[in-house]
Amino acid sequence: KTFPMMCDTHVQRENIGVIQSAANKQPDVDAIYRLTRESPFDFKSKADKTASVVIPQDVYTPFNAQATLWFQRCFALMFLPTTVHGRVADIWRSYIAQYIMHQIGQELVYTGAWVVQDRNAHEYLKDFAAEEDLYVKSGALVQFLASRGYNQGNSVSQNLFDLYVDLYERDFIEEADIYHISRWLEYF
């Protein structure tokens, strides 16, 4: 499908940095949801399948690494932290990306389901344990990001690197991520 058919929004295309699609059947939800709700399920909407929601600039909402479309102007923000569990990395990356996106005028858009996902078997209690930082530290992470300054005189890459240093100094990530983000940013 072409972009206009996939995402019906009033935001200018050049202001959209990331589009997150829902996934039918086995969407990527946390272990608490899986332990307390039934699946599989489909997102049903009375609205047109192209309907979308633009997340306000002062709001942080998680998005994941599945069924996600990144526009080139936000490619540098795709770096996944490597020193947190994989079940945490994509969600924290989404908060980090939104922090930068808010500063550079890029929008996060949610759309209806574009995909159907068949998941492999999971042990939900192990997933729950692996997601502990999501439940314990994400509030503090978002609060830090929402109150953190941004140096408009620096490039996106420099601001992203500085942010990772700050996250390390606050024990959200480990030192290896400073090395990894510096290598990643060599390409931007």
Side-chain angles (χ1 to χ4, degrees), residues 91-104:
I91 302 303
W92 281 12
R93 186 261 310 266
S94 75
Y95 295 138
I96 293 164
Q98 286 172 84
Y99 165 78
I100 300 286
M101 291 167 60
H102 293 167
Q103 308 305 319
I104 63 172

Side-chain angles (χ1 to χ4, degrees), residues 121-137:
H122 276 251
E123 293 186 36
Y124 298 148
L125 290 176
K126 284 185 179 180
D127 290 350
F128 175 77
E131 294 171 354
E132 181 179 1
D133 280 350
L134 287 178
Y135 311 128
V136 175
K137 293 183 178 180

Side-chain angles (χ1 to χ4, degrees), residues 11-83:
V11 174
Q12 295 293 323
R13 180 177 179 175
E14 61 271 8
N15 294 337
I16 298 175
V18 177
I19 300 174
Q20 171 72 69
S21 166
N24 280 333
K25 192 173 181 183
Q26 292 284 343
D28 189 13
V29 292
D30 66 26
I32 291 175
Y33 188 95
R34 291 191 184 285
L35 287 165
T36 60
R37 304 281 195 291
E38 293 206 19
S39 65
F41 69 89
D42 288 341
F43 289 92
K44 294 185 178 167
S45 172
K46 293 179 182 175
D48 183 316
K49 289 187 184 237
T50 62
S52 57
V53 175
V54 179
I55 305 302
Q57 286 283 316
D58 59 346
V59 172
Y60 285 82
T61 188
F63 64 89
N64 62 36
Q66 300 174 11
T68 305
L69 175 66
W70 292 78
F71 286 80
Q72 185 174 0
R73 58 196 156 271
C74 289
F75 277 5
L77 308 180
M78 290 194 312
F79 175 78
L80 282 164
T82 61
T83 62

Side-chain angles (χ1 to χ4, degrees), residues 3 46 50 55 68 76 88 93 99 102 107 111 115-116 121 130-131 137-138 141-142 148 158 187:
F3 176 80
K46 293 179 182 175
T50 62
I55 305 302
T68 305
V88 176
R93 186 261 310 266
Y99 165 78
H102 293 167
E107 305 282 354
T111 69
V115 298
V116 174
E131 294 171 354
K137 293 183 178 180
S138 290
L141 173 62
V142 169
R148 185 178 185 274
Q158 185 63 53
Y187 298 96

